[in-house]
Amino acid sequence: MTWSNSMSRSTAVFLGLAIALTACGKKAEPDVTPTPTQTPMNRGPNLDSLRADSLARARDAAAAAARDAAAAAEAARAALVNEMASAIHFDYDQFAIRAGDEAMMGAKAAILRANPALRIRVVGHADERGSDEYNLALGMRRAVAAKDWLVRNGVEAGRIETASLGEEVPLDPSSNESAWAANRRGEFEIMAGAQTLVAPR
Amino acid sequence: MAMLVLGVTVPLVGQDDPRVALNLNYQGGVRPGVVVLAGPGLDSVRRVVERDLQYSDRFEMAFLPAGTPPIGDSLNMGVYSQVGLTWAVELQPIPGGLAASLHNLRTGERRLRVLRTIDPAATGDGRMAIHRLADTLTLVASGGRGIAATRVLFVLGDAVWSIDSDGANLHKVSRGLGLAMSPTWSPDGSRFAYTEIRDYGGPIILQNLATGARQTVPSSNRAGMAITPAFSPDGREMIFAQTSEAGTDLWRVDIARMCCAAQLSTGGKLADNMSPTYSPDGRKVAFISTRPGRPQIYVMDADGADQRALVQYSLDTGPSDAPDWSPDGLKVAFHRDIAGGRQVMVFEFGTGRATAVTSTGRNEDPRWAPDSRHVVYKSNRSGGEQLWVLDTETGALRQLTNVNGKARMPAWSGPIAGNNP
């Protein structure tokens, strides 16, 4: 897109030159044989410098295009990172992966399969209602349930660490249903291999 | 009970001295009545002893109105026996301390006279000497164990804190950098253990209370945390729960030699097993297991053999958690979710039944006092999360902590020993 913008900018400059030439030609109208075009050219930009400008513009455009491509790749990578890191949620005192989260889990598994260097840690969290210590075990069950799901879907177990923080790190510290629902979660941290990511085919 | 106090003014007639008028706040009850009287300079000690005897919940207390002048060097016992009191504690100053006497007002007999070197202005550990005196008085006057010379460890914020049984002397004790959980006392009271969560790991730390020295207890080599530690009554071993991808399961470790952590083969993958508590003879361990689905209270031999449900449950019984075996061996306290609340329950081996001893709010993590009748637990009954002390025999309830933040996971010490017994 930026490349074509540069193209049209260059085109506009050449058109401008053409108009200038035409204007000069009108000025010389009384002469039957118009003087060579040197005079108006001397008053305007010279062709060599125009050519050099054009080359520089092309180089800039290529660099911009490369930057844009890198930005696009980074945006694509960031999208994959976000998809990898998005949290899943659990029912109260349960550790089964919800049916509604399976698409999200499938996307994570695909990213992991497409990027063998990618390593992650799943951290299980609980809401405040269970016992404080029991929630450490429950959070571990949740992390392991997520890991097991990914392993069943083709990801090597050795690439997934698990941990639990129980109810100790709530996303929302309030005591109501929506806070509890938000806090019963599995978080996915990328440990390694996220510098370059390939989108799954 | 002395919860409602009536003013009783008894004009004395026909006694040794008709000019003496007794002014006491006292309501008689089934428990023996006691009044604490002090000579000059000992009113602060008197108030500590009076509160200690009250908090034992073994007496009907007679309170002196504020501004009551100190007693002279002899006690007019007839005056106090007339209102139905059984005991009078007399505190008199002596050089370097005090003399404490316990008078039986019914018989006129002096049952106890002890001399103690006590600084009346003592704070911190110095107050323990006063508490130990109160426990001696409680034992002689009631035949039961007092709990004044004890402390409670608990978690506040990310650290372990300590508070005396009467709510004084609140201070932070753990020295780690992680998040502290599940503090528990060594049987001799010299150390405590707790889980320190840091960088997703959670080793058990043993810290010496006097020196602050810390040791890491060897655990399994599995990734995860070592949680809910419990000392064996002889202080040589510890059972804890190891969280891991293979499930949460009970492990035993030799802390006399700091080695040899071994799994007690209680399940793990299929069920979580945690929160162990030893019987006082060290032969049995109660714990929670999720093998019925929700956590319930189980029991096993200390080596992991003969595992079975301890407290009956049915399919609709709420999650039951945090068992604590009473020091007399006769009961296990725990908490259970009941009808949207969470209540402290006491299971009695004698009857085989569990009874709720709380009914208001969410009440969690009960731990027995050394008298096997008081429990400290976390409750939200006052709004925030604070520690409360309940006498399971009389139902008397008092708030132990009033801290900013959430006080949780209490652990009650045994009697705090000292040089001044």
Side-chain angles (χ1 to χ4, degrees):
Chain A
M1 189 172 75
T2 316
W3 172 247
S4 65
N5 282 347
S6 302
M7 279 298 285
S8 53
R9 250 196 325 270
S10 306
T11 309
V13 171
F14 283 118
L15 286 175
L17 177 59
I19 290 162
L21 288 172
T22 311
C24 292
K26 280 181 180 169
K27 235 178 186 178
E29 203 171 27
D31 295 337
V32 176
T33 50
T35 44
T37 56
Q38 284 297 334
T39 306
M41 281 309 293
N42 287 342
R43 280 187 270 131
N46 109 9
L47 272 179
D48 286 344
S49 77
L50 278 174
R51 196 171 293 116
D53 287 352
S54 163
L55 287 172
R57 282 189 202 99
R59 273 199 306 275
D60 291 350
R67 278 198 305 276
D68 293 343
E74 174 56 26
R77 194 192 73 93
L80 291 173
V81 166
N82 280 340
E83 196 153 19
M84 195 64 244
S86 58
I88 59 172
H89 294 86
F90 296 87
D91 292 341
Y92 176 62
D93 202 16
Q94 299 296 313
F95 52 86
I97 303 297
R98 288 175 174 173
D101 279 347
E102 294 213 339
M104 209 189 295
M105 289 297 290
K108 294 178 197 299
I111 295 168
L112 283 161
R113 286 194 305 266
N115 297 276
L118 192 57
R119 296 171 54 84
I120 63 166
R121 175 191 288 132
V122 192
V123 184
H125 296 262
D127 72 29
E128 66 179 0
R129 287 176 297 171
S131 303
D132 302 355
E133 294 150 335
Y134 171 76
N135 277 336
L136 290 174
L138 177 61
M140 198 65 182
R141 288 268 169 203
R142 288 174 173 166
V144 172
K147 174 175 180 170
D148 288 350
W149 198 101
L150 294 172
V151 170
R152 279 198 306 278
N153 285 272
V155 183
E156 299 84 351
R159 296 167 56 198
I160 309 170
E161 288 184 22
T162 52
S164 168
L165 288 174
E167 66 176 81
E168 305 303 321
V169 189
L171 273 184
D172 180 343
S174 27
S175 297
N176 55 55
E177 288 292 344
S178 69
W180 294 328
N183 292 335
R184 294 189 302 267
R185 67 200 191 276
E187 293 186 347
F188 297 80
E189 297 175 11
I190 294 177
M191 317 266 304
Q195 292 78 12
T196 56
L197 285 181
V198 177
R201 292 177 183 279
Chain B
M1 292 195 34
M3 301 291 284
L4 277 175
V5 178
L6 301 179
V8 181
T9 301
V10 184
L12 294 166
V13 287
Q15 296 288 326
D16 335 355
D17 185 349
R19 289 167 301 174
V20 175
L22 178 64
N23 193 3
L24 273 183
N25 293 323
Y26 179 66
Q27 183 185 32
V30 295
R31 297 171 299 182
V34 60
V35 65
V36 184
L37 304 157
L42 292 175
D43 197 55
S44 63
V45 176
R46 186 191 67 74
R47 276 183 276 116
V48 172
V49 171
E50 179 181 87
R51 194 166 52 182
D52 285 350
L53 298 183
Q54 179 192 0
Y55 287 170
S56 80
D57 292 307
R58 296 177 185 275
F59 304 102
E60 312 290 348
M61 298 302 300
F63 294 97
L64 299 176
T68 301
I71 57 172
D73 52 11
S74 74
L75 201 60
N76 185 344
M77 286 194 277
V79 168
Y80 298 100
S81 63
Q82 192 180 346
V83 291
L85 294 170
T86 304
W87 300 103
V89 173
E90 179 189 6
L91 306 172
Q92 293 287 5
I94 59 171
L98 61 82
S101 303
L102 180 66
H103 302 278
N104 185 325
L105 296 169
R106 300 255 164 98
T107 65
E109 172 195 12
R110 188 176 71 192
R111 286 292 311 279
L112 182 74
R113 179 172 159 80
V114 291
L115 308 179
R116 292 289 164 83
T117 52
I118 282 174
D119 174 8
T123 58
D125 283 353
R127 291 179 83 255
M128 272 297 152
I130 304 174
H131 293 317
R132 280 190 284 275
L133 169 64
D135 285 343
T136 301
L137 295 165
T138 296
L139 182 63
V140 175
S142 74
R145 177 175 222 169
I147 51 170
T150 61
R151 292 193 166 115
V152 172
L153 295 177
F154 64 101
V155 170
L156 172 61
D158 59 2
V160 179
W161 290 64
S162 174
I163 192 168
D164 289 357
S165 70
D166 65 350
N169 196 19
L170 172 71
H171 63 286
K172 182 175 158 181
V173 292
S174 68
R175 294 158 51 94
L177 295 174
L179 168 66
M181 289 186 77
S182 316
T184 189
W185 291 87
S186 68
D188 67 2
S190 67
R191 297 184 291 177
F192 67 101
Y194 67 102
T195 296
E196 187 172 280
I197 296 176
R198 197 175 171 190
D199 299 334
Y200 300 108
I204 293 170
I205 303 295
L206 259 181
Q207 183 179 319
N208 185 300
L209 275 159
T211 67
R214 288 156 47 91
Q215 290 174 285
T216 300
V217 175
S219 64
S220 84
N221 53 8
R222 295 179 178 178
M225 298 176 184
I227 62 172
T228 62
F231 287 89
S232 64
D234 65 9
R236 301 188 58 82
E237 291 187 333
M238 177 177 281
I239 292 183
F240 62 92
Q242 175 74 43
T243 73
S244 79
E245 291 186 1
T248 297
D249 205 359
L250 296 171
W251 287 61
R252 184 169 56 176
V253 60
D254 183 335
I255 53 168
R257 294 186 292 153
M258 288 297 244
C259 75
C260 317
Q263 189 172 3
L264 289 178
S265 303
T266 50
K269 190 65 180 175
L270 298 176
D272 292 325
N273 304 290
M274 54 185 288
S275 303
T277 174
Y278 280 89
S279 63
D281 64 7
R283 296 168 64 180
K284 300 273 184 187
V285 173
F287 60 102
I288 65 163
S289 178
T290 60
R291 62 195 76 175
R294 294 162 162 171
Q296 295 295 346
I297 312 295
Y298 278 66
V299 69
M300 65 182 187
D301 295 345
D303 64 1
D306 192 21
Q307 298 183 18
R308 58 197 164 81
L310 175 65
V311 183
Q312 283 192 333
Y313 58 84
S314 59
L315 281 177
D316 56 354
T317 301
S320 308
D321 205 344
D324 190 45
W325 211 306
S326 64
D328 65 9
L330 302 178
K331 296 168 283 192
V332 171
F334 60 99
H335 70 240
R336 176 174 279 176
D337 288 10
I338 300 173
R342 179 167 294 161
Q343 306 306 338
V344 172
M345 312 276 295
V346 174
F347 169 82
E348 293 184 291
F349 286 93
T351 63
R353 285 208 303 272
T355 315
V357 295
T358 60
S359 57
T360 304
R362 294 168 64 80
N363 309 285
E364 302 178 45
D365 294 333
R367 290 293 180 269
W368 290 104
D371 64 359
S372 294
R373 64 182 269 176
H374 289 86
V375 287
V376 60
Y377 57 93
K378 178 184 89 171
S379 179
N380 69 354
R381 58 177 298 132
S382 64
E385 295 191 349
Q386 301 288 345
L387 302 183
W388 292 71
V389 171
L390 172 71
D391 177 20
T392 59
E393 295 198 10
T394 64
L397 181 65
R398 66 183 166 97
Q399 187 172 343
L400 176 63
T401 62
N402 186 17
V403 292
N404 286 325
K406 296 178 176 181
R408 56 180 187 152
M409 294 184 274
W412 210 317
S413 76
I416 302 287
N419 301 327
N420 191 349

